[in-house]
Amino acid sequence: GSELAERTIPHVIQLAKRMKLGVILLRVCALPEQASDIQRLDLDNFMGRMREEARGCLEEKVLQLKREGLAEVSYQSLHKY
């Protein structure tokens, strides 16, 4: 995630533990504006790689939060193109 998002993680862990809350991580992937002339085949390949990268990062973060003691952690990845 972004630097800002990463800095929020310790606070999320603290609040979720204190309030006994579940956590849902979100990652939004969008096609850069300058990519509008990419051929469709290249676009599908590019977005597929973005989805895989997002899923890997989110799954890693879920494991990290569970190791920190949070029981209820999930993720959602949104893609726009």
Side-chain angles (χ1 to χ4, degrees), residues 45-72:
N45 187 22
F46 176 77
M47 291 305 290
R49 287 194 316 268
M50 283 184 65
R51 279 192 292 278
E52 289 299 315
E53 179 186 325
R55 185 175 67 201
C57 290
L58 288 165
E59 287 175 352
E60 185 179 310
K61 195 58 64 178
V62 165
L63 291 175
Q64 176 192 348
L65 294 180
K66 287 184 175 185
R67 284 192 301 268
E68 293 285 341
L70 301 182
E72 209 175 311

Side-chain angles (χ1 to χ4, degrees), residues 24-58:
I24 301 171
L25 302 173
L26 175 66
R27 181 157 179 180
V28 178
C29 299
L31 186 64
E33 288 181 31
Q34 55 274 56
S36 60
D37 23 329
I38 295 177
Q39 292 181 355
R40 186 69 189 173
L41 183 59
D42 292 337
L43 176 61
D44 290 341
N45 187 22
F46 176 77
M47 291 305 290
R49 287 194 316 268
M50 283 184 65
R51 279 192 292 278
E52 289 299 315
E53 179 186 325
R55 185 175 67 201
C57 290
L58 288 165

